[in-house]
Amino acid sequence: MHTEACIFDLDGVIVDTAKYHYLAWKRLADKLEIRFTETDNERLKGVSRMDSLEIILGLGEKQLGKGIKQKYATLKNAWYIDYINRMTPEEILPGSLEFIKELKSAGIKVVIGSASKNTPLILEKVGLLKVFDAVADGNTVEKTKPDPEVFIKAAELVNVDPAGCVVFEDAVAGIQAALNAGMKCIGVGSPGILKEAHYVIKGLHEMNLEKLKTIEKEFLK
Ligand code: BG6
Ligand code: MG
């Protein structure tokens, strides 16, 4: 197998925004008097904004109408954006930019495949808006991970077959989405949690082109 495109999830792979999602959701959970911990926050990784709200409401055994749920999701997003607006290029996770540049020099397409509707704002704040060949995100797709739509779209944008794509993902739902798309997947995080991935790394600081070639030969056949 020869990699023609690398598709990167954004939150938790290129930047650590999970902490900001947590702070904003925590503020909403406190307002709704729902107990919400950092462990609970793990369940929200890769999950869309509305589905995240449903999980939190479930923790508090609360049921709300559609309109009020929309209002709370908007409120949480406003709080989240307050954090995002303060992000700087220093928050790009170590090794990410170096790896992306190396891939581009080798003629491998680099694409974002993220569930987040805030993807353009985050990329702008950390100075990555012009780095990727294409961006597929929560604004351009309807179905959320583990549905493969976002990764299929990402591959289409750079005219690469799913079989030629390697996805980097930190969420279980995202790994399932990559596999459902017929792509190879490198998990970013703990091997114990990301069991379904073809290979797992701790972070992009572990990656370079040579290592990708080695992983390709041994694990992505
Ligand atoms: C994913 C995050 O990338 O984006 C989730 O892992 C988040 O935690 C989802 O809920 C949607 O993000 P946003 O920015 O559209 O609320
Ligand atoms: Mg993620």
Side-chain angles (χ1 to χ4, degrees), residues 133-151:
D133 293 299
V135 173
D137 65 18
N139 300 296
T140 45
V141 297
E142 276 168 26
K143 298 184 204 112
T144 55
K145 299 171 186 176
D147 189 282
E149 188 184 5
V150 74
F151 293 138

Side-chain angles (χ1 to χ4, degrees), residues 19-160:
K19 58 187 180 218
Y20 302 134
H21 277 297
Y22 172 69
L23 290 169
W25 282 125
K26 175 77 181 146
R27 192 167 162 189
L28 185 70
D30 287 349
K31 185 179 161 69
L32 299 174
E33 296 179 337
I34 295 173
R35 197 182 120 79
F36 177 62
T37 65
E38 281 190 70
T39 310
D40 298 324
N41 193 53
E42 286 300 305
R43 289 176 57 197
L44 309 188
K45 283 189 180 170
V47 174
S48 74
R49 195 180 307 165
M50 285 314 279
D51 289 351
S52 300
L53 177 61
E54 293 293 355
I55 291 173
I56 292 173
L57 293 175
L59 289 170
E61 293 175 4
K62 274 193 205 294
Q63 285 182 350
L64 300 174
K66 211 173 162 199
I68 187 88
K69 282 196 278 197
Q70 195 57 58
K71 197 189 109 189
Y72 284 140
T74 304
L75 187 61
K76 177 268 171 179
N77 195 50
W79 291 331
Y80 178 63
I81 285 178
D82 280 346
Y83 293 110
I84 300 306
N85 273 329
R86 282 179 261 151
M87 284 182 87
T88 66
E90 269 88 81
E91 287 184 70
I92 298 173
L93 288 169
S96 312
L97 199 51
E98 293 81 350
F99 180 47
I100 289 163
K101 284 184 178 163
E102 210 187 351
L103 292 170
K104 287 183 83 166
S105 311
I108 297 172
K109 300 284 184 203
V110 291
V111 194
I112 287 284
S114 166
S116 173
K117 291 187 159 77
N118 292 300
T119 296
L121 178 64
I122 296 169
L123 291 177
E124 187 212 316
K125 289 292 165 188
V126 300
L128 289 179
L129 210 48
K130 298 214 170 84
V131 171
F132 291 92
D133 293 299
V135 173
D137 65 18
N139 300 296
T140 45
V141 297
E142 276 168 26
K143 298 184 204 112
T144 55
K145 299 171 186 176
D147 189 282
E149 188 184 5
V150 74
F151 293 138
I152 299 280
K153 173 96 191 185
E156 278 173 7
L157 287 172
V158 290
N159 287 315
V160 173

Side-chain angles (χ1 to χ4, degrees), residues 201-218:
I201 54 170
K202 285 197 190 74
L204 292 180
H205 60 276
E206 285 183 22
M207 286 305 300
N208 54 49
L209 193 56
E210 207 185 312
K211 176 137 184 205
L212 180 64
K213 300 278 169 208
T214 311
I215 298 172
E216 250 178 31
K217 266 190 233 134
E218 291 183 29

